[in-house]
Amino acid sequence: MRDAVLHAIDMCVKALEQRADAHWVIAFSGGKDSSAVLKIFLSAYRRARVRPRAATLIYCDTGVENPILDAYVKTLLMRMRAEFESAELPIGVRILKAPVQDRFFVRLIGRGYPPPTNSFRWCTTGLRIRPVSQFIRGHRPEDTVLALGLRRSESRQRDRSLQRSADLYWQKQREGVGEYDLFLPIVEMDVPEVWDAVFGLSEPRCLKPQALEDLYRDASGECPVIKAPEAPPCASGRFGCWTCTVVRKDRSGAELIRSGHHELIPYFKFRQWLTEIRNDPSRRWPRRRSGQEGMGPLTIEARREVLERIEELEFATSSEILDADERGLIASLWRIDDIPRLSFPLNGPRA
Ligand code: SF4
């Protein structure tokens, strides 16, 4: 095994012994970086002389994850739960989900948010970052260590803040919930070393390196689960939302389709259509909610059009994209937006 992986395990053993009083939370997306973190964590967990007070693996389900990858991760999590139980490893597995008002289509169809772009990326915080923050808030942030798959050289901005820190492996995360510790086991690793960890370490046994490698072709990167607004859009990597319009091309989806997952074609076409209608002035209010000039939310007609397309997509893919809670909230939000339109039919509602 390469030195970098052994070094990461050593660092993790030391960290676990140093912070055995803490609740260790492992942020897992299913991608290669968080898979490497999990494997390194488990090797260290086996070797550490003291075990941490508690350990939980968390996965954030946005509700719009790429269906192939979503199925891969959820099956894996189910197997992991069973594997931890039979190996008597007291590690919890939790799937977190954004509150209904933050879900992708509630914002888009219900409130008329235009499909996200890099300059208006309204989705990451609500779908991925806030559920993790809320989980940590519920577990005494000051006693929490979040193990995260951040690597140096992933983003120049992030690099600058990492370089300011005396110990690259330990960082502080400051946000609404206060402050908590981040431990970055793979911070010094490059991509081949990450794959070394994925292939070279055995636990959890249900995580098959070859299956994971097969999901990757030419995409890389994972969605952030902590506040890192400068990070690249999540869907520029393998694991992200099938609805993502932040990236110009859905390389990940295209690659999966090329490799035979033709069931993704309807999702792919829908995403393409979303990018096309985004800047169509006839589908947007002429003013923002604040009253400022400039393209505002999607019109009610455009939102209805999106809803119809989703229903067609649900039919074509035999899947449920909107659940009953989301539909209920969308209907209420429509009622709210429709009322001011009666008085301002041409200009859209006032703030
Ligand atoms: S993958 Fe795209 S749509 Fe999903 S949270 Fe990330 S930026 Fe937003």
Side-chain angles (χ1 to χ4, degrees), residues 62 104 116 121 123-124 127-128 223 233-235 240-241 243-246:
T62 60
F104 190 88
R121 203 194 320 168
C123 42
T124 316
L127 290 179
R128 298 186 187 275
C223 295
C234 342
C241 307
T243 49
C244 188
T245 49
V246 175

Side-chain angles (χ1 to χ4, degrees), residues 26-39 149 186 207 222:
I26 305 114
F28 187 71
S29 74
K32 66 178 189 330
D33 290 331
S34 60
S35 295
V37 167
L38 173 64
K39 288 191 155 212
I186 63 167
L207 199 167
E222 290 162 35

